[in-house]
Amino acid sequence: MTSTELDLLAPLAAPLPPLPKGEVLSSSQWTTLLAVADTLIPSIGTSTNNDHPKLILEESEYAAAVQKLQTVVPNEAGREAISHYLQESAGSTPGFRESVQRTFGSYLREDALKGIRVILSALDTRAGCLILTGYSTFFHLQPVKVRQQIIQSWTQSYLPPLRQLIKSLGALVISIWVKQSPTLGSILGFPRNPVHGKPGKGFDYDFIRFSAGDEPEILETDVVIVGSGCGGGVCAKNIAEAGHQVLVVERAYHFPPEYFPMTSADGYIHLFHNGGVDTSDDSSIAVLAGQAWGGGGTVNWSASLQTQAFVRQEWADGGLSFFTSSEYQESLDRVCRRMGVSGDHVDHNPNNKFILDGARRLGYSAKVVPQNTGGKKHYCGYCTFGCAANEKQGPVASFLPDAAKAGARFMEGFEAEKVLFDQTNGKKTASGLQGTWKSRDGHGGVSGDDRIARKITIKAKRVIISCGTLNSPLLLLRSGLNNPQIGRNLHLHPVTLVSAVFPQEIRPWEGPILTTLCDEFQNLDQRGHGAKIEAMTMLPSWVLPFQPWHSGLDFKVMASQHSHTVSQISLVRDRDTGRVYPDPIDGKCRIAYTPSAFDKKHALEGVLAMTKILYIAGAKRLVLASSAIPPFTRADDVDEKMGVNEPLFQAWLALIRKNGLGSPDTSWGSAHQMGTCRMADSERKGVVDPQGKVWEAEGLYVADASVFPSASGVNPMVTNMAISDWISRGIARGM
């Protein structure tokens, strides 16, 4: 497809909401932050000027860097593109400061922002600089090379909090640079739009809207469902088709396929919870959750795996016999049929082929991952920012249209504040919902300042909470419920990754994201806990922030190799748990979770296996998401017949096993959140009963991944949908 054709198919723009008002940093703090950013991602050259400090290289060193980039940069980019790329610094990229302003002002936790401010202020004093850098000169006045040496010393500090702070701040800076850089895409040959597939037509939703007014608006319905994701969508379809009035309310706004895939700069804001920058309290793990019309089903990777037998048995042994019943299997099959789940039409991209072939050659168990693409081939790696072809059959393309055709109504832009209750025969009974609706702007977007807000009261016979694992428990707490299990039992499927650079161009963002997995290591404790190996989405903004930073030049060279790189994840079915709770200042979701030593050991086995899979696939260089483990570079004269038994490779594996995956050196992430409103056979053990009803109240249900009794061990979409299918059919029968 030509560039002209791609331009004609370009998604519509999705302008962002206005920037937060007020300054998030003082003038001196901004100066220091930009100096840090321009050290992590520096302008690189052989001479400098006072207006734009650079990382100065010797002529020979600069020439060597250019030559290295020329081996991976597309021919059409040329030497001029390389020069612009090396000259670019993080702070010089258009929109960088605005992105920092938005992130700090709207999404970063107040305690985390306070910590950053303290460090930035200290670096603008002689005493603070002396303590933190060993120099009395202000940080921003130092040459870039000296600043780099200082940051390198922080990454090796004997103070773990300082190491964690610079790692988190570095990841944030790198993430914003990757999203905003005008040069990186041309260096990688990374197109704005997928080169495969055709735009598709989405369902034409009709959303409830209100005019301006001071009085609360009152609506009535049989069932109100809070959340439009994988749980809420299934519930809406089933209850509406049973003949009941259904109203689905959603915090996010709907974007039809012509807006997809969004850019990474816009997609994280419009489609992910808290702008995609959630982390645990100790910053040990980044947490990404969908917050879109259609929830996680709009941004997931199409993997459609049914709940495994050993997990179903574990849940049944805990008092929930439904999970080993034929009824549960019928629910699993029913939701899969609706989405056209199949593995028959998969055309694997290179990364997924590496997993299948590597597992075969190593004797590991591996399999194809079925896709929810309506029984069609879907060769697109951009769907984590929305499916332009509308082939991914998440709730937006399947269950919610079915609900609409059965009479369900919808409201976007609704912030649920609390569940309303009556007393019926001395028992607390849900009677509705209270919240605030915010309109779109006059142009139909969310970026204007002419949007109106209205207080809304919804009267309902049943209330279903499907806000997701991070927010369902918070809504219950805001509503006055006090079961101590609310918010606890958080499982995250923590992942860490291994990246491999190949001699040949891979273009890893092309093709379906996750179509194979290796499950050889899924039961390491003989109780169902272990690791699975899966392919990673290869959009640059997802991968590069997780890569270890060693120096500015090293990182730019590494980033330029992304078109030759694949990454795979070791996904752990975590035994140990955390919790979510409301921030005491603003009430937003806080996450208390640290990957445990037990679960890290299982992740380590997955990491070691991934390195072997990628090594025998021919990788030239292997990189862990850990600053404590040096990368491995394959020798040119290696004896290929030795395979993974090659001595230098074996020595590197031994080093990985010896060092482990310690914190804060290792980067961890989560895209699966489960368990914070756990289903159980007693109120003492969980938040909802086996029918999904909240133990503390009548007429109040939870239907999303928060009800999982423990971690599912597989991508949770199908399990979530099947449980919600069971819960909603029970609700419909009981009305």
Side-chain angles (χ1 to χ4, degrees), residues 588-617:
K588 291 183 179 180
C589 181
R590 293 286 296 268
I591 302 166
Y593 185 101
T594 305
S596 70
F598 178 87
D599 293 324
K600 284 179 180 178
K601 287 181 181 178
H602 291 170
L604 178 62
E605 297 306 317
V607 164
L608 292 168
M610 282 190 292
T611 63
K612 295 176 183 178
I613 287 172
L614 293 165
Y615 181 86
I616 63 173

Side-chain angles (χ1 to χ4, degrees), residues 121-161:
S121 294
L123 291 172
D124 198 44
T125 67
R126 296 193 184 281
C129 283
L130 195 60
I131 293 170
L132 290 172
T133 73
Y135 300 94
S136 59
T137 304
F138 291 171
F139 181 84
H140 71 275
L141 296 177
Q142 294 279 20
V144 176
K145 186 165 287 189
V146 174
R147 289 189 226 154
Q148 180 172 273
Q149 292 168 351
I150 291 169
I151 292 179
Q152 288 168 336
S153 73
W154 291 343
T155 65
Q156 303 299 319
S157 172
Y158 65 89
L159 298 172

Side-chain angles (χ1 to χ4, degrees), residues 272-318:
F272 286 88
H273 185 262
N274 202 41
V277 298
D278 280 319
T279 63
S280 59
D281 286 348
D282 63 359
S283 298
S284 62
I285 185 167
V287 179
L288 278 167
Q291 183 177 294
W293 182 250
T298 297
V299 297
N300 69 17
W301 305 348
S302 295
S304 302
L305 294 159
Q306 296 197 4
T307 325
Q308 292 173 280
F310 65 87
V311 175
R312 293 171 63 174
Q313 189 63 56
E314 176 188 304
W315 294 353
D317 291 345

Side-chain angles (χ1 to χ4, degrees), residues 321-372:
S321 59
F322 161 67
F323 287 107
T324 50
S325 70
S326 296
E327 284 183 291
Y328 182 58
Q329 186 59 51
E330 289 172 6
S331 289
L332 288 167
D333 292 340
R334 185 160 39 237
V335 298
C336 286
R337 279 196 303 271
R338 177 59 190 90
M339 295 188 291
V341 171
S342 171
D344 296 339
H345 306 278
V346 172
D347 184 3
H348 303 294
N349 69 2
N351 197 10
N352 285 282
K353 290 177 182 177
F354 291 153
I355 292 176
L356 280 183
D357 185 58
R360 179 188 61 80
R361 294 171 65 183
L362 292 164
Y364 297 159
S365 171
K367 64 181 182 181
V368 172
V369 174
Q371 307 286 292
N372 68 332

Side-chain angles (χ1 to χ4, degrees), residues 161-230:
L162 182 58
R163 297 208 314 273
Q164 183 64 67
L165 179 65
I166 191 58
K167 183 164 84 74
S168 299
L169 183 58
L172 184 62
V173 166
I174 290 167
S175 176
I176 293 174
W177 170 68
V178 172
K179 296 171 189 174
Q180 301 292 149
S181 171
T183 68
L184 182 61
S186 61
I187 286 292
L188 302 180
F190 175 68
R192 163 65 181 90
N193 311 314
V195 298
H196 301 282
K198 298 179 180 179
K201 173 66 176 173
F203 183 77
D204 188 12
Y205 288 96
D206 183 19
F207 292 98
I208 297 174
R209 294 176 174 83
F210 306 95
S211 57
D214 296 327
E215 295 298 316
E217 193 78 30
I218 299 175
L219 302 176
E220 294 190 20
T221 187
D222 291 334
V223 180
V224 61
I225 301 172
V226 191
S228 63
C230 296

